[in-house]
Amino acid sequence: MIAKKKYVLATVFFAFCAILASVFAFGIKNADAATELNITSVGASIRYKAGESDATGDGIRFTFAVDKAKADEVLGEGFANVAQASILFMPTELVPEGGLKFDTADVAKRDLSAEDWKVNGENYNVTAYMWGIPAASYNRDITSVAYIKLNNGTEIYSEVKSASIAWVAWMAYNDPDTTEDQKVSLDTYLTADYTVTYYDEDGTTVLGTEKITRYGDAAVNAPEAAKDSTADYNFVFENWVTEKDGE
C-alpha cells in the first residue's frame, strides 16, 4: 500500500529584482587558475516581516562567497579580464536536466559590477534578492547560481543553492534563538495549501485525502489500510511510502 503526496502549487509569474550587498567581478592571470577558484553558497535568508517594502518583503536572498586570499592570488588587481558576471535565478522545477546556465531559456539574471563585492572576513561576498513572490509560491523552491565569464571564454559557476521562502522561514522558526515576536512574523510565510492523497497499493485507488494548511506540518489523518488474507498469506500494514513500489 502506498501513499502519494500531491502538492497543489500555483504556477505564477513573479517580479524579479535584486539588491546587491556586494559583488566582485573577476580578472584572471591564466585560464588554468580559473578552475582553482571556488564560489560557494553561504545560504538563503528572508526578512522576519513579510511585505515591509518592495525591496525587502515577500522575497528571498541568496549569498555567495569566494575566498579572498585565493581570489587576490589568482585574479590580481583590476579584474579587467571579466566579460560577464551575474547571479542567476529560476524556479527549481523549471531548471533543465543539465543545470542552470547563463544561456538557459527564461533564466532571470542580475548582472554584477566590480564594486559590488565587499570583504567579509576572509571572503568576498555577494548577496542578491528576488522579491515580489506571491504567497501562493512561498513553498516554491528557487534555484540560484553565481556565474562568471572571462574574456578568454572561461566560464565559472558557483555551487548551486535551492530554497523556498517557506523552507527558510520554517528553519528559522525552529531555531532555538528565534524570539516569539520573530516567530509571529515568520508565521506569515508558513501558510500552506496542498493536499496529501492516500492511494491503495495499486497506485490508483484513492483511500483518502488530507488538507495541509501550514508548511512543515505532517500528515496525521491517514486512512486505515488493510488487505484481505489469502489462502497462503496474511497481510500486516507496515508504512506509507511516497512512490509506487517504494520503500
Side-chain angles (χ1 to χ4, degrees), residues 9 18 27 31 45 58 63 77 101 105 135 143 159 165 177 193 209 213:
L9 297 178
S45 59
D58 305 328
T63 300
E77 298 182 2
K101 305 298 182 183
T143 292
E159 177 183 12
I165 290 178
D177 293 331
D193 182 14
T209 60
T213 59

Side-chain angles (χ1 to χ4, degrees), residues 16 18 20 23 84-88 102 109-113 116:
F16 165 78
L20 295 175
V23 159
Q84 180 71 46
S86 303
I87 301 294
L88 313 179
F102 183 80
K109 303 170 184 176
R110 171 61 185 183
D111 292 338
L112 310 177
S113 64
D116 294 317

Side-chain angles (χ1 to χ4, degrees), residues 10-235:
T11 301
V12 296
F13 295 98
F14 48 81
F16 165 78
C17 200
I19 295 176
L20 295 175
S22 53
V23 159
F24 180 66
F26 296 90
I28 193 160
K29 296 178 180 178
N30 60 74
D32 290 339
T35 62
E36 302 175 8
L37 190 66
N38 294 319
I39 309 172
T40 60
S41 168
V42 176
S45 59
I46 61 173
R47 295 281 183 173
Y48 279 115
K49 293 183 178 180
E52 289 181 343
S53 71
D54 289 342
T56 60
D58 305 328
I60 186 170
R61 68 179 184 176
F62 294 88
T63 300
F64 297 92
V66 63
D67 180 80
K68 180 181 181 297
K70 188 64 178 178
D72 289 343
E73 173 192 348
V74 173
L75 305 175
E77 298 182 2
F79 318 123
N81 293 330
V82 175
Q84 180 71 46
S86 303
I87 301 294
L88 313 179
F89 295 90
M90 179 170 278
T92 302
E93 76 273 14
L94 301 181
V95 175
E97 185 176 347
L100 184 58
K101 305 298 182 183
F102 183 80
D103 59 356
T104 298
D106 300 322
V107 62
K109 303 170 184 176
R110 171 61 185 183
D111 292 338
L112 310 177
S113 64
E115 290 75 24
D116 294 317
W117 278 87
K118 293 184 179 179
V119 176
N120 181 26
E122 298 180 350
N123 295 328
Y124 292 113
N125 279 16
V126 58
T127 298
Y129 287 85
M130 174 179 283
W131 67 73
I133 300 175
S137 289
Y138 284 172
N139 61 349
R140 191 181 192 188
D141 278 354
I142 304 296
T143 292
S144 185
V145 176
Y147 168 81
I148 297 164
K149 183 177 182 180
L150 306 178
N151 290 334
N152 63 12
T154 301
E155 292 183 308
I156 305 170
Y157 286 93
S158 74
E159 177 183 12
V160 177
K161 180 64 179 179
S162 297
S164 69
I165 290 178
W167 181 83
V168 175
W170 185 80
M171 294 294 289
Y173 190 96
N174 290 283
D175 189 309
D177 293 331
T178 300
T179 67
E180 291 303 314
D181 285 344
Q182 290 170 338
K183 287 182 177 181
V184 171
S185 294
L186 290 169
D187 268 328
T188 305
Y189 299 114
L190 295 175
T191 300
D193 182 14
Y194 61 92
T195 300
V196 177
T197 302
Y198 298 92
Y199 291 91
D200 200 354
E201 63 180 348
D202 59 12
T204 301
T205 304
V206 176
L207 301 179
T209 60
E210 181 177 352
K211 196 79 168 178
I212 305 297
T213 59
R214 190 175 190 275
Y215 184 90
D217 283 358
V220 295
N221 294 316
E224 182 178 351
K227 184 174 182 178
D228 293 337
S229 299
T230 68
D232 298 314
Y233 297 99
N234 291 321
F235 299 94

